[in-house]
Amino acid sequence: MGLLLQGTINQWARNANTPRLRMVIEKKGNAKDYKLLFNYIKRILDHGMQLDAIDNNPAIQVIIPKLKQRTTTKIKYFDKEELETFLSFLGRLADTPINNMHISIYRFLLATGLRISECLALSQSDIDFNDHTVSITKTVIRVINKAELIQEGAKTTESNRLVTLDMDTMAYLKHGKRDKITARLAL
């Protein structure tokens, strides 16, 4: 009985220590509170000993595995000073078609907060030049052979959204820069 209980507690600890994968619904019973569950079992077996239903409590011999400490990754973003430095750098780039394309893409991403995969999935019909908005309804996904497919629907249901563009970004899209960004974004 002791080996069975130890194996069960070890399995619960492994389940609790397994990092969650994105976009996967966690199954019920993954035993994140395995120490609490073990304490319940131990108390039940203690009660069984008091009632003389069992001779000894096998839970006393069980060694409880420790839960791994999980680290969180810090979200990377530009603070105001870094953003100004980056935009200043973009402003100093030579006026070449490739630089203009990169400038347009960076300014568009910074202005909208889109994920790159959402940006790459945009089409001309997603941009409303009259209302100054971009409709986010799809994303680019990579498949096993590294091919890219456009998936209808954004990463999450909350990601389907309408983003308002500022006047500077609209100017980039409307005027001479428009052809360069649209070529890259497949608009």
Side-chain angles (χ1 to χ4, degrees), residues 124-144:
Q124 180 118 20
S125 62
D126 294 323
I127 299 177
D128 187 333
F129 289 96
N130 295 325
D131 290 338
H132 305 274
T133 59
V134 178
S135 178
I136 313 305
T137 59
K138 53 192 173 281
T139 188
V140 169
I141 58 171
R142 292 188 188 267
V143 291
I144 294 172

Side-chain angles (χ1 to χ4, degrees), residues 3-23:
L3 288 175
L4 175 66
L5 190 54
Q6 182 70 59
T8 302
I9 298 298
N10 290 345
Q11 183 59 49
W12 288 350
R14 275 192 298 278
N15 289 347
N17 282 323
T18 303
R20 294 182 189 166
L21 299 174
R22 290 184 186 165
M23 305 292 291

Side-chain angles (χ1 to χ4, degrees), residues 12-19 30 34 65-70:
W12 288 350
R14 275 192 298 278
N15 289 347
N17 282 323
T18 303
N30 264 3
Y34 68 96
K66 293 185 179 180
L67 186 63
K68 291 180 186 175
Q69 293 294 324
R70 293 191 179 155

Side-chain angles (χ1 to χ4, degrees), residues 29-119:
N30 264 3
K32 75 174 187 171
D33 297 324
Y34 68 96
K35 290 179 184 178
L36 179 65
L37 294 172
F38 173 72
N39 283 330
Y40 288 148
I41 292 170
K42 187 175 177 184
R43 289 174 61 195
I44 290 168
L45 292 172
D46 279 339
H47 187 67
M49 281 181 54
Q50 290 172 357
L51 296 174
D52 287 330
I54 56 174
D55 295 331
N56 64 351
N57 184 347
I60 294 172
Q61 260 88 51
V62 172
I63 299 170
I64 302 173
K66 293 185 179 180
L67 186 63
K68 291 180 186 175
Q69 293 294 324
R70 293 191 179 155
T71 58
T72 57
T73 56
K74 185 177 177 182
I75 297 174
K76 297 177 185 178
Y77 63 91
F78 284 150
D79 62 24
K80 185 178 179 184
E81 185 178 303
E82 291 169 329
L83 179 60
E84 289 171 356
T85 302
F86 183 67
L87 291 173
S88 174
F89 167 76
L90 292 178
R92 291 191 308 268
L93 290 176
D95 189 16
T96 64
I98 192 75
N99 282 347
N100 288 333
M101 179 187 70
H102 288 140
I103 291 167
S104 297
I105 291 171
Y106 285 129
R107 288 183 61 96
F108 185 78
L109 288 171
L110 289 168
T112 60
L114 296 180
R115 296 177 179 96
I116 292 173
S117 59
E118 293 170 334
C119 183

